[in-house]
Amino acid sequence: MSDGLHMHSLAWVGGSDAPEKNALNIGYMPLTDCASMVVAATQGFGQPYGLTLNLRRQTSWAGINDKLLSGELDAAHSLYGMIYAIQLGISGAAATDMAILMGLNQNGQSINLSQPLKEAGVTSASALQQHAHQKGTKLTFAQTFPTGTHAMWLYYWLASQGIHPLQDVNSVVVPPPQMLAHLEAGRIDGFCVGEPWSAHAVEHGQGFTLTTSQAIWPDHPEKVLACTREFVEQNPNAARALVMSVLDASRFIEKSLENRRSTAQLLSCSEYLDAPLSSVEPRLLGEYCDGLGNRWHDAHSLRFHNNGATNFPYLSDGMWFLTQFRRWGLLREDPDYLAVTSQVQQTELYSAAATALNIPVPDTAIRSSRLLDGSVWNGADPAGYARSFTLHALNDH
């Protein structure tokens, strides 16, 4: 590591630490959790590191997937599981080595049900379970990408309530900003999506929020900053500078309530989320109303930094998604969980960037979490964990 690590950030720009590429095309989806990318790009957080960040709004996760692989995007706000699907060759494209540079956020996604279900009194997990097991038309739930975080939260939550996500209900893919239109048209009965689209549906009188992703797994991993491994290998300084820029922006957002509010305002603009501030700001600040008359301040609401705890790319976080791919039959056999995640998660690059900014780096790349069904995930026995669930779609012969 160069001495520049311990100097002021401007030292990065000079000499051998200068980014190999000064202008980066950064993809994002219009979701509240793209905040640190938008703040980094629009508020000049790349400049001290010699970077210009050009934001590129996308219309679907599949589009981000394709443009990362074609090189049209240098890096992107990405679904955790999507990056691992590309790595393992289960995304529909050839397996390509990928890199997760950092976590962008934790928490802040929701599962909503439709207005007709609300009116029918299906307003609790037990009522939904009863409804799902009645004979007749299956309910249809939307998520945002087949291997994405929302599919995994939806499947995990439904299964924890005794509803088999691949047998008892139908699952379809809908890009986040289109969820409300699909709900209004009656094409779907519920969805799992990132904010502000759940809050937006509630505000429009279109159903209610049944549960949040943080109720499934408090402080769960969510979006990541990702790119191809080739990009990191060819542009190590630019990749590190990008992480530093986004870390600076993440820290800025959480520095004060005023900064969170101004971030909500920025995001609501037509060029980013194009959603009313009233749909964006409350849940960004942790203030929830579910459309059933309940209001609360969520202790595990959307986090962008949390003194670096949100941003470190834990190996155990990556492994968890692989265990769920295995559980639901997306992987026919167990991968080498630790080896795959050790390749993808750029823990060394992240640690160099964080250390330069005096942001604490954890002692270990494994963390322990308890999920809503009481199961503890600590990365210890991923193959056993994948097999430990009553409801699954394991296709072992």
Side-chain angles (χ1 to χ4, degrees):
M1 256 179 242
S2 74
D3 296 337
L5 271 179
H6 306 292
M7 295 162 65
H8 188 265
S9 60
L10 287 167
W12 287 104
V13 180
S16 61
D17 282 329
E20 301 81 0
K21 206 172 174 181
N22 295 103
L24 301 181
N25 291 328
I26 308 292
Y28 73 97
M29 283 290 284
L31 291 158
T32 306
D33 55 32
C34 74
S36 51
M37 319 292 298
V38 173
V39 169
T42 61
Q43 309 304 304
F45 281 100
Q47 285 164 4
Y49 311 109
L51 288 183
T52 300
L53 306 178
N54 301 316
L55 291 176
R56 300 281 184 260
R57 182 163 75 177
Q58 304 299 309
T59 55
S60 70
W61 290 115
I64 286 186
N65 186 87
D66 296 346
K67 288 173 189 174
L68 278 174
L69 294 179
S70 72
E72 196 176 321
L73 294 173
D74 294 305
H77 166 237
S78 302
L79 294 165
Y80 227 121
M82 179 177 93
I83 300 305
Y84 274 99
I86 302 172
Q87 177 74 25
L88 295 166
I90 58 169
S91 70
T96 303
D97 284 336
M98 298 300 287
I100 285 174
L101 301 177
M102 64 183 285
L104 292 175
N105 69 291
Q106 293 174 328
N107 309 321
Q109 323 298 301
S110 297
I111 296 175
N112 277 29
L113 296 184
S114 68
Q115 191 64 20
L117 284 176
K118 178 180 169 178
E119 287 162 8
V122 183
T123 55
S124 66
S126 54
L128 182 66
Q129 186 200 17
Q130 205 178 348
H131 192 86
H133 288 124
Q134 285 169 356
K135 293 214 180 335
T137 314
K138 283 185 187 179
L139 294 174
T140 298
F141 285 89
Q143 31 81 11
T144 64
F145 194 76
T147 55
T149 49
H150 303 98
M152 296 306 114
W153 307 139
L154 179 66
Y155 293 2
Y156 197 96
W157 186 84
L158 287 170
S160 75
Q161 308 303 322
I163 302 167
H164 196 299
L166 306 179
Q167 294 170 10
D168 298 334
V169 297
N170 295 320
S171 176
V172 297
V173 173
V174 173
Q178 294 175 29
M179 288 295 186
L180 181 61
H182 277 71
L183 201 66
E184 281 181 324
R187 287 193 285 269
I188 57 175
D189 301 293
F191 58 67
C192 183
V193 75
E195 298 300 345
W197 306 113
S198 292
H200 197 49
V202 170
E203 203 179 20
H204 272 73
Q206 288 295 319
F208 64 99
T209 295
L210 179 59
T211 192
T212 64
S213 56
Q214 55 268 28
I216 301 169
W217 176 356
D219 300 334
H220 65 78
E222 186 46 47
K223 304 303 187 302
V224 288
L225 177 57
C227 57
T228 60
R229 183 102 46 85
E230 184 181 32
F231 177 83
V232 179
E233 285 166 359
Q234 291 179 358
N235 308 281
N237 293 345
R240 187 183 51 211
L242 174 60
V243 172
M244 291 174 77
S245 310
V246 178
L247 274 172
D248 270 342
S250 307
R251 185 159 61 177
F252 168 82
I253 293 167
E254 292 194 351
K255 208 167 224 166
S256 67
L257 184 59
E258 191 184 359
N259 288 3
R260 279 182 180 263
R261 288 187 189 279
S262 63
T263 299
Q265 201 129 23
L266 172 66
L267 287 174
S268 72
C269 294
S270 57
E271 58 265 49
Y272 304 116
L273 270 55
D274 193 18
L277 187 60
S278 53
S279 293
V280 178
E281 186 180 86
R283 291 188 182 188
L284 177 57
L285 302 180
E287 303 301 335
Y288 280 74
C289 63
D290 63 359
L292 297 172
N294 305 304
R295 290 177 178 274
W296 70 97
H297 179 81
D298 203 304
H300 296 278
S301 58
L302 199 50
R303 287 189 180 153
F304 297 102
H305 184 56
N306 194 22
N307 205 21
T310 297
N311 309 119
F312 184 76
Y314 287 95
L315 298 181
S316 51
D317 287 357
M319 285 161 72
W320 186 85
F321 289 103
L322 300 185
T323 69
Q324 299 306 297
F325 291 177
R326 183 77 186 99
R327 175 187 183 182
W328 299 120
L330 292 159
L331 289 172
R332 292 184 193 283
E333 51 198 37
D334 287 297
D336 186 333
Y337 290 92
L338 189 57
V340 173
T341 51
S342 299
Q343 285 183 312
V344 175
Q345 312 288 92
Q346 301 295 303
T347 51
E348 282 182 40
L349 183 144
Y350 173 85
S351 299
T355 303
L357 296 173
N358 296 317
I359 291 167
V361 174
D363 299 332
T364 167
I366 303 288
R367 66 187 183 121
S368 182
S369 309
R370 184 179 293 274
L371 280 73
L372 86 159
D373 53 10
S375 71
V376 172
W377 168 244
N378 57 16
D381 176 15
Y385 180 79
R387 282 180 183 71
S388 69
F389 299 96
T390 314
L391 294 187
H392 60 80
L394 286 160
N395 43 14
D396 292 337
H397 300 299

